[in-house]
């Protein structure tokens, strides 16, 4: 999520914040999670002020050993406890299936801040219901204030892929530098020899500096219109200029912005970075080098000026599908979807994939990843976050099955479901 300045004068951000006085969503809300406010209003969860500590965020459900935890179904929006009896802390996450196990990587959230005070956490599972806490995969730097990933920076939407040639695990994430709000708009890259880490930070950067998108024509590249030519944003003239690459030209020398993101590895092992760019107004898809550590320089713009974030890309029967959201801060909005026969496009918008009560707000959540389930033909899980800015660590996970109707993805609310339902 974007445009949240990480400044909290009442607290130190040198260490993780406890949960001595937190805001917990009332669990009974999730029996009917779509009726908190009238349609068209900015929805907010009802909350209760409580006195739990962070390691008791699961309330009285805290478990004592692995055998106590036996989930047999998904329950979207509810507390989801790991093998230690704690609510899973892997927000904005992604998934890697490797050697028979699923590995879930996500942002370790604290209570009163969305800044990174710990890093990226990893969990493992063989059945997708029950998860083992594998500890922190990528740690922020707590002693090096000059590091781009020093404690207090912003690390969002981490994704990990495996390079079959180098045998390295590669992590990408959206990085914002400490104290700079969301102005840096960089991608961070880290690597590890082991799937669970520790991951070593390699570099951070803006993307494809000095290179034009392949689908931006010569007139757009050479236009003399500049950002300073517009006294007001959001006018029809400004919107047309955005579509014609106003911000691409502005950022051409220094590199394109990269915020909300995902990774996708195709059947030929080519990897792609999909990210929200141009002040969150346009999605870019960029091809990675064979070692997955750099960019080939080939990239395209999707839906210029469409104001999309939270991209999740997957492939089914030779077609590429993309699910995104609009840009409304922490508040949910209607999901969007698109389809293409080539990852380079052309991409066709096919509307909101969600259906039924709550669809206009994506069931109070925002996309982060689409998981193809190993061994289950044409089974895909829509992974989404239900953000809780009142108490970030209490954010919930909304996982729902993706069905297909007339070759279009369809997502419907289910209070509880199983893989073979």
């Amino acid at each position: 999520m974007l445009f949240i300045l990480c400044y909290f004068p009442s607290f130190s951000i040198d260490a993780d914040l406890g949960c001595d006085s937190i805001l917990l969503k009332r669990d009974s809300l999730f029996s009917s999670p779509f009726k908190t406010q009238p349609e068209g209003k900015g929805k907010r969860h009802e909350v209760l002020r409580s006195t739990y500590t962070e390691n008791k965020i699961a309330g009285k459900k805290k478990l004592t050993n692995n055998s106590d935890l036996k989930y047999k179904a998904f329950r979207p929006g509810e507390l989801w406890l790991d093998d230690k009896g704690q609510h899973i802390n892997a927000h904005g996450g992604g998934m890697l299936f490797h050697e028979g196990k699923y590995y879930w990587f996500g942002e370790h959230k604290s209570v009163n801040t969305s800044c990174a005070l710990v890093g990226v956490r990893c969990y493992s599972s063989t059945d997708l219901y029950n998860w083992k806490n594998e500890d922190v995969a990528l740690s922020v730097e707590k002693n090096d204030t000059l590091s781009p990933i020093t404690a207090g920076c912003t690390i969002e939407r981490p994704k990990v892929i495996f390079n079959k040639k180098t045998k390295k695990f590669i992590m990408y994430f959206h990085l914002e530098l400490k104290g700079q709000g969301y102005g840096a708009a960089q991608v961070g890259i880290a690597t590890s020899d082991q799937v669970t880490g520790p991951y070593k930070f390699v570099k951070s950067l803006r993307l494809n500096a000095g290179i034009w998108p392949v689908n931006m024509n010569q007139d757009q590249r050479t236009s003399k219109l500049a950002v300073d030519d517009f006294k007001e944003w959001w006018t029809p003239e400004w919107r047309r200029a955005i579509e014609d690459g106003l911000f691409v030209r502005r950022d051409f020398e220094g590199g394109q912005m990269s915020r909300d993101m995902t990774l996708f590895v195709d059947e030929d092992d080519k990897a792609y970075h999909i990210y929200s760019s141009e002040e969150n107004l346009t999605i870019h898809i960029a091809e990675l080098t064979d070692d997955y550590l750099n960019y080939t320089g080939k990239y395209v713009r999707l839906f210029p000026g469409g104001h999309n974030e939270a991209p999740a890309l997957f492939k089914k029967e030779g077609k590429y599908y993309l699910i995104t959201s609009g840009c409304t801060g922490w508040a949910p909005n209607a999901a969007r979807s698109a389809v293409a026969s080539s990852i380079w496009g052309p991409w066709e918008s096919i509307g909101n994939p969600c259906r039924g009560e709550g669809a206009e707000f994506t069931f109070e959540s925002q996309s982060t990843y689409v998981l193809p389930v190993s061994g289950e033909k044409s089974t895909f899980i829509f992974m989404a976050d239900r953000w809780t800015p009142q108490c970030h660590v209490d954010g919930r996970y909304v996982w729902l099955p993706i069905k297909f109707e007339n070759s279009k993805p369809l997502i419907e609310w289910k209070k509880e479901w199983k893989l073979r339902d």
Side-chain angles (χ1 to χ4, degrees):
M1 306 304 296
L2 299 176
F3 305 117
I4 308 296
L5 181 62
C6 294
Y7 174 63
F8 297 87
S10 300
F11 302 96
S12 165
I13 59 173
D14 293 330
D16 197 11
L17 297 174
C19 227
D20 290 337
S21 181
I22 67 173
L23 295 173
L24 282 176
K25 293 194 299 292
R26 187 174 297 151
D27 279 316
S28 62
L29 177 65
F30 298 112
S31 62
S32 182
F34 315 123
K35 298 179 179 179
T36 55
Q37 297 223 5
E39 284 190 22
K41 300 293 184 182
K43 294 192 174 184
R44 293 184 181 274
H45 294 294
E46 295 181 32
V47 294
L48 280 175
R49 182 169 294 277
S50 185
T51 55
Y52 292 92
T53 58
E54 183 170 340
N55 68 343
K56 292 180 182 177
I57 196 164
K60 296 181 180 180
K61 298 179 183 179
K62 185 164 177 64
L63 306 177
T64 56
N65 59 59
N66 294 0
S67 62
D68 289 326
L69 187 57
K70 296 292 181 183
Y71 288 112
K72 296 181 180 179
F74 299 108
R75 295 173 181 171
E78 295 190 11
L79 284 168
W80 199 346
L81 309 184
D82 64 15
D83 63 315
K84 298 179 181 179
Q86 297 182 357
H87 183 47
I88 292 171
N89 198 341
H91 310 271
M95 197 74 64
L96 175 68
F97 183 74
H98 183 72
E99 295 183 349
K101 275 188 179 180
Y102 294 93
Y103 294 89
W104 179 0
F105 298 86
E107 309 159 23
H108 178 106
K109 292 288 192 185
S110 299
V111 181
N112 301 289
T113 174
S114 190
C115 295
L117 305 181
V118 175
V120 175
R121 190 165 289 277
C122 176
Y123 296 82
S124 67
S125 174
T126 56
D127 64 6
L128 292 174
Y129 303 126
N130 300 285
W131 292 90
K132 177 184 177 183
N133 185 347
E134 298 285 359
D135 212 340
V136 178
L138 173 70
S139 296
V140 297
E141 293 287 350
K142 295 189 176 181
N143 298 317
D144 183 0
T145 59
L146 297 180
S147 170
I149 61 166
T150 191
C153 69
T154 297
I155 292 175
E156 296 181 336
R157 299 185 180 272
K159 305 294 185 289
V160 173
I161 53 180
F162 178 64
N163 190 290
K164 294 177 182 178
K165 293 181 179 179
T166 66
K167 306 301 180 184
K168 294 282 189 180
F169 297 91
I170 318 292
M171 178 188 292
Y172 278 57
F173 52 91
H174 167 208
L175 174 66
E176 296 293 348
L177 304 180
K178 181 179 180 179
Q180 296 187 24
Y182 277 78
Q186 295 182 355
V187 62
I189 303 174
T191 66
S192 176
D193 293 325
Q194 305 295 325
V195 60
T196 57
Y199 284 76
K200 181 181 179 181
F201 178 71
V202 177
K203 61 183 176 182
S204 64
L205 69 158
R206 283 198 175 188
L207 312 185
N208 292 305
I211 302 173
W212 296 110
V214 297
N215 61 345
M216 192 166 164
N217 64 41
Q218 191 63 24
D219 287 342
Q220 292 171 330
R221 296 179 186 187
T222 57
S223 171
K224 299 301 182 182
L225 276 178
V227 174
D228 290 342
D229 293 329
F230 296 89
K231 295 180 180 180
E232 294 183 17
W233 286 23
W234 311 110
T235 65
E237 295 77 16
W238 180 87
R239 289 179 182 276
R240 283 194 294 271
I242 292 299
E243 293 176 13
D244 284 338
L246 182 67
F247 287 143
V248 177
R249 293 191 299 273
R250 180 197 68 181
D251 297 334
F252 182 73
E253 295 296 335
Q256 301 301 316
M257 305 175 83
S258 175
R259 287 182 177 149
D260 279 10
M261 56 141 288
T262 192
L263 296 175
F264 175 76
V265 180
D266 213 337
E267 295 157 340
D268 60 1
D269 293 328
K270 275 288 186 184
Y272 303 87
H273 179 201
I274 302 95
Y275 54 98
S276 184
S277 191
E278 302 177 38
E279 303 287 358
N280 283 9
L281 289 163
T282 304
I283 295 289
H284 290 188
I285 296 180
E287 183 180 65
L288 302 183
T289 53
D290 287 346
D291 61 5
Y292 300 169
L293 293 175
N294 291 289
Y295 296 85
T296 66
K298 183 177 183 180
Y299 72 108
V300 293
R301 305 169 74 215
L302 274 61
F303 307 112
H307 224 185
N308 288 280
E309 65 178 11
L313 191 147
F314 65 105
K315 188 177 184 180
K316 179 180 184 292
E317 297 176 355
K319 289 190 175 182
Y320 299 85
Y321 294 89
L322 179 66
I323 297 177
T324 65
S325 79
C327 300
T328 52
W330 295 110
N333 55 64
R336 297 104 176 256
S337 62
V339 63
S341 296
S342 165
I343 198 166
W344 301 117
W347 285 83
E348 175 191 359
S349 177
I350 51 177
N352 186 352
C354 300
R355 182 182 297 177
E357 186 180 11
E360 72 275 19
F361 291 103
T362 316
F363 314 114
E364 297 268 344
S365 70
Q366 185 185 41
S367 51
T368 184
Y369 194 76
V370 171
L371 172 64
V373 179
S374 178
E376 300 286 339
K377 185 178 180 181
S378 298
T379 300
F380 299 89
I381 297 176
F382 173 72
M383 294 171 53
D385 291 277
R386 182 174 285 163
W387 303 110
T388 338
Q390 304 94 339
C391 178
H392 294 280
V393 71
D394 190 35
R396 307 296 175 90
Y397 308 102
V398 174
W399 288 20
L400 293 167
I402 298 178
K403 305 297 183 183
F404 280 82
E405 187 176 272
N406 299 321
S407 298
K408 296 181 180 181
L410 172 65
I411 304 169
E412 296 179 303
W413 174 256
K414 292 180 181 292
K415 185 178 179 181
E416 179 176 309
W417 66 282
K418 299 178 181 180
L419 285 171
R420 292 180 174 83
D421 281 352

